[in-house]
Amino acid sequence: MSVFDRLDATVAFSAEERMLIESVRGLAREKIAPRAARYDATGEFPWDNVKAINELGLNAMFIPEPYGGAPQSYAAYLECVRELSQACASTGVIWATNFHATRPLVEFGNEEQKNRLLPVMAKGGLASLTITEPTAGSDATGMKTRFTPEGDRILVNGTKTFITNGACADLYLLFGKWSEIEDGKQAISALVLEKGTPGLKVVREEDKMGLRASSTAALAFEGCRVPRANLLGRPGDGLKILLASLNRSRPSVAAHALGIARGAFEDAVAYINERRQSGRRIVEFQGVQFLLADLASELALCEAWLWHVARLVDGGAADFGVEASMLKMRASDLAMRMTTEAVQLHGGYGYCKDYRVERLMRDAKITQIWEGTNQIHRQLIGRSFMKK
Ligand SMILES: Cc1cc2nc3c(=O)[nH]c(=O)nc-3n(C[C@H](O)[C@H](O)[C@H](O)COP(=O)(O)OP(=O)(O)OC[C@H]3O[C@@H](n4cnc5c(N)ncnc54)[C@H](O)[C@@H]3O)c2cc1C
């Protein structure tokens, strides 16, 4: 048993979760992974992967039973993200974004909202977490999207950028500022905007370095009218909802990064055990063994921390923001380093598209940028030790 198999075996999944994870693993390895290079090359949205994921009813795992779900642990969810992302990082993030955008509705929605909106996701809908704006990225509180109350409706005007699933979402969990509240941070509010709302426009889809099959869209909201019934909580509850959703989505993007890192590690190990130079396998050179030791140790430690954070969440911890930041930062830095070294260990072949590591290196880069850049996470972690 390898170090990594033994580590995976320490995670206490229920029998039902193990069955689900086996189905996801089968789908990821047999169907999704073989299509990944084609989707990377064409940049087409992988609808057949989404359909196959929905045939397993996978969204249901993060939706409570009364609304059409079949909830499983956060650990099981993270394992599914990691498996799907190792097979195809674009598909992994498309599915994970459903969780990121739906979870706040589960946590902060009222009964009527949950009864009406969650079944859309349980049946296989797509969702977007819609925060970033052209002039408000790392500092999301600088957002300008405006929510103006108009009787039983809310008028929405603004623009958002870099929105995953943006061109194809059924539900947008949208953040903006309540026009009647003056203080910028206290004005932040959250609502659910449904597909087909007049005034919602997909302005463009980005042509990206990696994750080429995922949709990353710039959106305009021009006089959209949303039922007041779609407001989550009260006007001004948005910042609380935003921070709670990021705490749950950051470990998830770490699982995405670790799927990419695992893929690169496995490919590199397989390659250097085969490839020979100077009459020896590459893995026999001591300099390469030192590198492998560092990469394997960092991967094992990041994966162990992933399961630590999962246990905190499943155990009902109220505050795990610093642990989530540490995980997101280290897992994504590792994904970038691992994929870069995997290309290096493949020599010239690693630079060519015939080998998967070329794609993994491009896919890895975003993990250091989104869900708070790693500079921001270093700031959050460091600041947490500042005495009041
Ligand atoms: C492919 C992709 C998918 C995305 N998906 C989504 C999505 O689904 N929903 C969504 O809302 N957003 C999404 N984003 C947006 C993403 O979260 C932002 O790009 C990210 O938060 C950084 O914001 P920015 O791009 O405006 O960079 P900026 O904030 O302008 O940062 C530029 C540089 O300055 C640094 N910097 C900024 N502030 C500080 C500081 N205080 N201290 C030190 N350094 C600092 C940053 O670390 C970075 O290196 C996505 C982005 C991409 C590229």
Side-chain angles (χ1 to χ4, degrees):
M1 201 182 212
S2 82
V3 169
F4 298 103
D5 293 337
R6 191 150 51 207
L7 183 56
D8 285 349
T10 61
V11 190
F13 295 122
S14 68
E16 198 184 336
E17 286 171 340
R18 285 202 184 279
M19 266 170 54
L20 181 68
I21 289 165
E22 273 314 309
S23 313
V24 171
R25 190 165 291 153
L27 172 67
R29 294 183 185 185
E30 286 154 31
K31 299 259 169 64
I32 294 179
R35 298 170 187 153
R38 177 168 60 83
Y39 278 123
D40 175 61
T42 63
E44 272 171 52
F45 191 80
W47 281 112
D48 51 359
N49 292 345
V50 171
K51 187 162 169 267
I53 287 172
N54 285 335
E55 278 162 11
L56 292 182
L58 216 53
N59 282 356
M61 77 184 296
F62 48 77
I63 294 174
E65 255 174 83
Y67 317 106
Q72 309 294 342
S73 67
Y74 189 60
Y77 161 75
L78 292 178
E79 178 59 5
C80 292
V81 174
R82 191 173 64 153
E83 270 297 337
L84 291 172
S85 306
Q86 180 167 347
C88 171
S90 295
T91 303
V93 80
I94 290 166
W95 182 65
T97 301
N98 286 344
F99 171 88
H100 304 165
T102 304
R103 191 63 215 175
L105 182 54
V106 173
E107 264 179 72
F108 297 97
N110 60 34
E111 269 314 295
E112 187 280 325
Q113 289 168 336
K114 292 197 249 191
N115 275 314
R116 186 162 49 87
L117 299 169
L118 286 177
V120 176
M121 294 308 297
K123 285 182 203 141
L126 289 169
S128 281
L129 182 64
T130 317
I131 306 168
T132 305
E133 298 188 1
T135 56
S138 295
D139 179 13
T141 63
M143 66 177 70
K144 293 181 183 146
T145 293
R146 206 168 162 79
F147 296 166
T148 310
E150 266 189 356
D152 60 0
R153 295 194 292 188
I154 301 166
L155 177 67
V156 178
N157 279 301
T159 52
K160 295 283 174 184
T161 195
F162 298 140
I163 303 306
T164 302
N165 293 344
C168 48
D170 297 286
L171 300 180
Y172 296 84
L173 181 71
L174 176 65
F175 290 84
K177 287 187 176 164
W178 197 258
S179 64
E180 293 172 327
I181 303 176
E182 264 183 37
D183 180 274
K185 285 189 184 168
Q186 285 176 16
I188 296 175
S189 307
L191 54 76
V192 177
L193 187 138
E194 295 166 72
K195 186 183 193 140
T197 302
L200 164 62
K201 294 201 175 92
V202 178
V203 178
R204 55 179 262 151
E205 285 191 79
E206 304 300 339
D207 185 5
K208 307 189 295 294
M209 172 192 290
L211 297 189
R212 293 190 50 77
S214 74
S215 157
T216 308
L219 304 172
F221 302 90
E222 295 172 359
C224 294
R225 287 183 166 79
V226 174
R228 174 108 186 194
N230 282 21
L231 181 70
L232 282 198
R234 284 170 312 196
D237 280 350
L239 193 56
K240 177 180 75 181
I241 297 171
L242 181 76
L243 296 176
S245 42
L246 291 177
N247 277 350
R248 292 284 180 111
S249 56
R250 284 169 174 167
S252 164
V253 300
H256 177 260
L258 289 173
I260 297 171
R262 264 268 187 134
F265 182 75
E266 288 175 10
D267 285 9
V269 168
Y271 187 81
I272 62 180
N273 271 282
E274 289 289 324
R275 174 80 175 168
R276 301 180 76 85
Q277 287 296 300
S278 309
R280 286 197 276 172
R281 292 181 297 159
I282 303 287
V283 72
E284 290 174 46
F285 296 114
Q286 195 185 44
V288 169
Q289 290 167 358
F290 285 176
L291 172 64
L292 207 53
D294 286 347
L295 294 174
S297 305
E298 183 69 13
L299 181 59
L301 294 174
C302 281
E303 290 189 351
W305 194 252
L306 176 79
W307 302 126
H308 168 66
V309 174
R311 277 190 298 272
L312 287 179
V313 177
D314 283 327
D319 183 8
F320 49 91
V322 177
E323 286 92 341
S325 280
M326 289 172 168
L327 175 61
K328 190 276 177 187
M329 179 188 81
R330 288 300 284 267
S332 57
D333 281 349
L334 172 66
M336 197 64 237
R337 178 166 182 224
M338 183 74 86
T339 53
T340 309
E341 296 293 10
V343 167
Q344 188 73 18
L345 289 170
H346 279 70
Y349 296 100
Y351 197 65
C352 300
K353 289 185 186 287
D354 285 350
Y355 285 85
R356 179 172 73 154
V357 288
E358 182 273 344
R359 183 182 84 238
L360 296 181
M361 184 175 152
R362 287 184 287 106
D363 285 343
K365 183 60 205 170
I366 186 58
T367 67
Q368 294 178 302
I369 296 173
W370 63 15
E371 294 285 325
T373 66
N374 284 2
Q375 286 96 322
I376 295 297
H377 285 289
R378 286 188 163 82
Q379 205 169 302
L380 291 173
I381 297 162
R383 197 194 286 157
S384 75
F385 294 97
M386 215 159 77
K387 291 207 164 74
K388 299 242 159 69

